């Protein structure tokens, strides 16, 4: 069974239909340095690098395209009509002589980073280095990397205080990632853990510079304070992508796809525009809990202040006291059920040999991390590779005081062309509403085909007395989808979509 991680810059080879093809590493090329050949029958070309972005066209197997740019696990290509788009780098073959390897570099995240004689804080410091400087990586040891200094001397730096870089990276002053708090009050902690000491706070729409990431936590710097916050409660803004506006005119930025812009400042008014995620819209005024905005066609409209981030205008002060309305699941207990396990492998992907039990557990663990970051108490029917009967899973749900039961699975079917996501429910109206919320948010988050929320007469739902749904997060029998669900990017997106669905459901139920 294939397991891969492009974050380590590996190049893997796969066999499909008798053809060997390679996975491109994000550190292998820069603009104009090579070509790629499409390795699957049809491959989606998207507007931006990520599965959640719209598909603009499809390219076919054996076609070749010039590389324009590379970002993470995505390659920008130039189509025959001159249009540019992004394709997944794990579904193409890198032309072997096209790319030249760049030296792996490392750059500090802070000024005054200590360079030590060995891979531990116990070793003597021999130099300090600053942000923006780049150094060749020599080797790594756990959480430490050995670098070469300009003098030729080598030393060790902490990975959590530095980032990988390439020789053609833009200067830090040109691109600076910024985090904006989306919660009314966000704790800054000394370490990446909810049990760590609180050393400061961010208020809603207050920004801070991003330094590093670890799991579901982001290290930020605000003035001279450096600490960790739950990244689930942040909105990341790339300063290079901000609208050019020399007068600093106010604007709002949508937090989710499907945001409604209405003709008036109440929900009863007509919807005149549906905005996509991270859409920037000029703001004219704040009227109560609503912002008056101007659309690209010149038309004016209104957007609810509690579903956007405001820049240049005071944020909306929410009247609700329940924290679920503020984007958290504080006080909720969620039981996650990773399907199959132990001697019960579940489905097996016919192309890559993916074991469903393993990928179910991976997504479940990510889901648990994100739920905890959102304030929920998380429990599991299994937390390792063991077999748990359906009856025992239902028993665990029924005897515990939980708010929701989420069963994680991946699908199979004889027709290998079928692909997409399904969320199943059984029984009462609440189960149906939760299934529809999770289905909608997971499809939005992953970009996979919407096969809709459906009634499912499964024992694990039928005998469950709690709020319960079963999520089928893609088909292992579809080649492209089996490859996709094995990526960390997809697993993170799927987990985020489920959390978004839970947030939406509880927010609506507790109005």
């Amino acid at each position: 069974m294939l397991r891969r991680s492009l974050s380590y810059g590996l190049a893997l080879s796969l066999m499909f239909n008798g053809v060997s093809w390679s996975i491109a590493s994000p550190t292998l090329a820069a603009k104009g340095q090579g070509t790629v050949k499409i390795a699957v029958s049809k491959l989606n070309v998207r507007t931006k690098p990520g599965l959640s972005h719209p598909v603009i066209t499809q390219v076919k197997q054996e076609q070749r395209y010039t590389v324009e740019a590379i970002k993470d696990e995505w390659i920008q290509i130039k189509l025959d009509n001159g249009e540019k788009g992004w394709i997944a780098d794990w579904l193409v073959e890198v032309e072997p002589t096209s790319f030249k390897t760049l030296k792996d570099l490392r750059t500090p995240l802070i000024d005054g980073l200590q360079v030590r004689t060995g891979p531990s804080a116990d070793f003597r410091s021999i130099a300090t280095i600053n942000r923006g400087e780049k150094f060749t990586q020599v080797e790594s040891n756990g959480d430490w990397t050995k670098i070469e200094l300009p003098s030729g001397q080598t030393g060790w730096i902490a990975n959590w205080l530095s980032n990988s870089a390439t020789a053609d990276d833009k200067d830090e002053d040109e691109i600076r990632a910024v985090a904006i708090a989306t919660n009314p009050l966000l704790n800054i902690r000394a370490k990446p853990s909810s049990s760590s000491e609180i050393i400061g706070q961010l208020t809603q729409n207050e920004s801070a510079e991003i330094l590093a990431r670890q799991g579901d936590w982001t290290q930020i710097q605000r003035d001279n304070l450096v600490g960790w916050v739950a990244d689930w409660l942040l909105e990341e803004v790339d300063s290079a992508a901000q609208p050019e506006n020399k007068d600093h005119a106010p604007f709002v930025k949508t937090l989710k796809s499907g945001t409604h812009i209405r003709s008036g400042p109440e929900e009863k008014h007509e919807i005149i525009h549906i905005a996509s995620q991270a859409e920037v819209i000029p703001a004219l005024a704040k009227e109560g809990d609503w912002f008056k905005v101007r659309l690209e066609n010149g038309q004016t409209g209104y957007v609810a202040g509690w579903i956007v981030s405001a820049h240049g205008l005071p944020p909306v002060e929410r009247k609700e006291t329940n924290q679920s309305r503020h984007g958290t699941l504080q006080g909720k207990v969620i039981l996650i059920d990773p399907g199959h396990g132990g001697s019960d492998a579940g489905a097996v992907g016919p192309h890559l040999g993916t074991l469903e039990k393993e990928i179910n557990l991976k997504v479940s663990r990510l889901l648990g991390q994100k739920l905890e970051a959102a304030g929920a108490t998380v429990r599991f029917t299994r937390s390792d590779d063991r077999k748990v009967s359906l009856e025992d899973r239902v028993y665990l749900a029924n005897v515990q005081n939980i708010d929701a039961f989420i069963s994680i699975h991946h699908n199979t079917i004889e027709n290998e062309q079928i692909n997409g996501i399904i969320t199943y429910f059984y029984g009462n109206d609440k189960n149906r509403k939760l299934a529809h919320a999770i289905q909608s948010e997971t499809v939005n988050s992953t970009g996979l085909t919407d096969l809709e929320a459906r009634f499912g007469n499964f024992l694990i739902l039928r005998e469950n007395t709690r709020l319960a749904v079963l999520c089928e997060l893609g088909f292992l029998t579809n080649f492209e989808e089996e490859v996709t669900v094995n990526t960390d990017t997809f697993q993170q997106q799927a987990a985020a979509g489920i959390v978004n669905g839970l947030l939406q459901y509880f927010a609506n139920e507790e109005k």
Side-chain angles (χ1 to χ4, degrees):
M1 176 167 41
L2 174 70
R3 287 292 177 268
R4 66 178 192 82
S5 175
L6 287 180
S7 61
Y8 293 99
L10 297 178
L12 304 182
S13 294
L14 301 178
M15 290 296 296
F16 178 59
N17 288 344
V19 178
S20 177
W21 54 282
S22 300
I23 295 174
S25 164
T27 62
L28 288 182
K31 179 178 178 180
Q33 285 188 333
T35 59
V36 291
K37 183 171 70 174
I38 308 306
V40 292
S41 57
K42 290 182 180 179
L43 179 58
N44 291 333
V45 182
R46 300 181 183 271
T47 57
K48 295 180 181 180
L51 293 171
S52 61
H53 297 294
V55 175
I56 56 176
T57 188
Q58 288 185 325
V59 290
K60 297 181 179 179
Q61 195 165 16
E62 300 298 317
Q63 291 179 331
R64 288 174 169 81
Y65 296 93
T66 301
V67 173
E68 293 293 312
I70 288 180
K71 182 176 182 181
D72 298 326
E73 299 175 354
W74 293 82
I75 296 176
Q76 187 185 49
I77 60 172
K78 189 173 184 179
L79 301 170
D80 295 337
N81 62 2
E83 189 176 8
K84 295 179 182 179
W86 293 84
I87 56 176
D89 71 355
W90 61 92
L91 299 175
V92 300
E93 177 184 349
V94 179
E95 299 288 14
T97 60
S98 297
F99 297 111
K100 67 177 182 180
T101 302
L102 300 175
K103 283 188 175 180
D104 289 331
L105 303 177
R106 200 133 191 111
T107 184
L109 292 170
I110 61 173
D111 291 328
L113 177 60
Q114 301 287 333
V115 182
R116 300 184 180 275
T117 57
S120 164
D122 296 331
F123 287 92
R124 176 174 56 88
S125 174
I126 57 174
T128 58
I129 55 179
N130 298 316
R131 285 189 292 182
E133 299 175 341
K134 298 181 178 69
F135 303 89
T136 300
Q137 297 181 186
V138 178
E139 63 177 289
S140 61
N141 185 339
D143 291 331
W144 293 77
T145 296
K146 181 188 281 189
I147 62 170
E148 182 179 347
L149 298 171
S151 64
Q153 188 178 15
T154 59
W156 295 83
I157 59 173
N159 290 345
W160 64 91
L161 295 175
S162 60
N163 261 346
S164 294
T166 57
D168 57 350
D169 277 348
K170 294 184 178 180
D171 291 338
E172 185 181 352
D173 291 339
E174 188 175 349
I175 294 181
R176 182 173 60 90
V178 175
I180 297 176
T182 59
N183 219 43
L185 202 60
L186 180 57
N187 291 329
I188 304 173
R189 298 183 182 272
K191 296 180 180 179
S193 167
S194 56
S195 61
S196 179
E197 176 191 2
I198 297 173
I199 58 175
Q201 291 178 321
L202 286 178
T203 57
Q204 191 170 28
N205 292 326
E206 188 176 0
S207 63
E209 185 177 353
I210 294 175
L211 299 181
R213 297 187 188 280
Q214 182 175 321
D216 282 313
W217 293 83
T218 297
Q219 188 182 42
I220 62 168
Q221 180 171 354
R222 188 197 62 190
D223 299 326
N224 293 322
L225 177 66
V226 175
W228 295 84
V229 296
D231 67 2
W232 185 248
L233 302 176
L234 292 175
E235 173 196 358
E236 183 175 340
V237 180
D238 189 336
S239 61
Q242 292 305 296
E244 295 182 8
N245 197 325
K246 296 180 180 179
D247 296 327
H248 303 287
F251 65 92
V252 297
K253 187 173 183 180
T254 58
L255 302 178
K256 293 172 57 179
S257 294
T259 298
H260 292 165
I261 311 298
R262 298 181 180 272
S263 59
E266 292 183 69
E267 293 184 0
K268 67 180 182 181
H269 289 287
E270 175 190 6
I271 297 171
I272 61 174
H273 175 68
I274 298 178
S276 58
Q277 186 176 14
E279 187 170 330
V280 174
I281 308 171
L284 304 178
K286 178 185 174 188
E287 298 184 11
D289 288 343
W290 293 72
F291 291 107
K292 186 177 182 180
V293 297
R294 186 181 300 281
L295 302 176
E296 286 186 354
N297 61 5
Q299 188 176 9
T300 58
Y302 292 82
V303 62
W306 58 90
I307 57 175
V308 296
S309 62
H311 305 261
L313 286 173
V316 168
E317 296 293 334
R318 303 182 188 181
K319 299 177 182 178
E320 295 88 351
T321 57
N322 188 289
Q323 291 192 39
S324 291
R325 293 288 292 156
H326 293 152
T328 73
L329 293 169
Q330 193 71 36
K332 303 298 181 187
V333 181
I334 310 298
L335 178 60
I336 302 173
D337 174 45
H340 308 286
S343 60
D344 176 15
V348 179
H351 310 288
L352 308 179
T354 303
L355 297 183
E356 185 193 357
K357 67 172 184 176
E358 294 184 353
I359 201 166
N360 290 345
L361 186 57
K362 284 187 175 182
V363 174
S364 296
R365 286 171 173 167
L366 291 172
L367 175 59
Q369 292 171 9
K370 293 183 185 298
L371 287 170
E372 287 180 342
T377 299
V378 176
R379 297 170 185 168
F380 293 86
T381 57
R382 71 176 179 99
S383 57
D384 52 20
D385 186 21
R386 69 179 65 188
K387 183 176 181 179
V388 181
S389 70
L390 294 178
E391 291 78 8
D392 285 344
R393 295 171 193 258
V394 172
Y395 175 79
L396 289 171
N398 290 340
V399 300
Q400 298 185 76
N401 185 22
I402 63 172
D403 294 284
F405 173 92
I406 310 294
S407 190
I408 303 298
H409 289 260
H410 291 77
N411 227 330
T412 59
I413 196 168
E414 288 186 6
N415 185 349
E416 293 186 1
Q417 300 302 312
I418 301 297
N419 62 90
I421 289 175
I422 305 172
T423 308
Y424 287 102
F425 64 92
Y426 182 92
N428 64 47
D429 190 53
K430 289 187 175 182
N431 289 331
R432 180 186 62 80
K433 287 181 179 178
L434 177 60
H436 279 277
I438 288 178
Q439 176 72 15
S440 174
E441 293 295 337
T442 308
V443 167
N444 284 341
S445 177
T446 64
L448 295 194
T449 302
D450 185 1
L451 297 181
E452 302 181 347
R454 305 181 183 190
F455 175 85
N457 188 16
F458 302 117
L459 183 150
I460 206 163
L461 299 180
R462 185 178 64 247
E463 303 301 322
N464 204 316
T465 61
R466 305 298 183 184
L467 182 67
V469 297
L470 186 150
C471 304
E472 294 278 9
L473 300 172
F475 283 81
L476 299 182
T477 40
N478 178 275
F479 172 69
E480 184 173 348
E481 206 148 275
E482 184 182 359
V483 174
T484 298
V485 301
N486 271 285
T487 65
D488 180 69
T489 298
F490 172 82
Q491 293 164 15
Q492 294 280 359
Q493 290 172 336
I498 294 170
V499 176
N500 274 337
L502 286 163
L503 286 166
Q504 180 189 120
Y505 171 82
F506 285 117
N508 290 332
E509 286 295 302
E510 297 166 5
K511 282 184 179 178

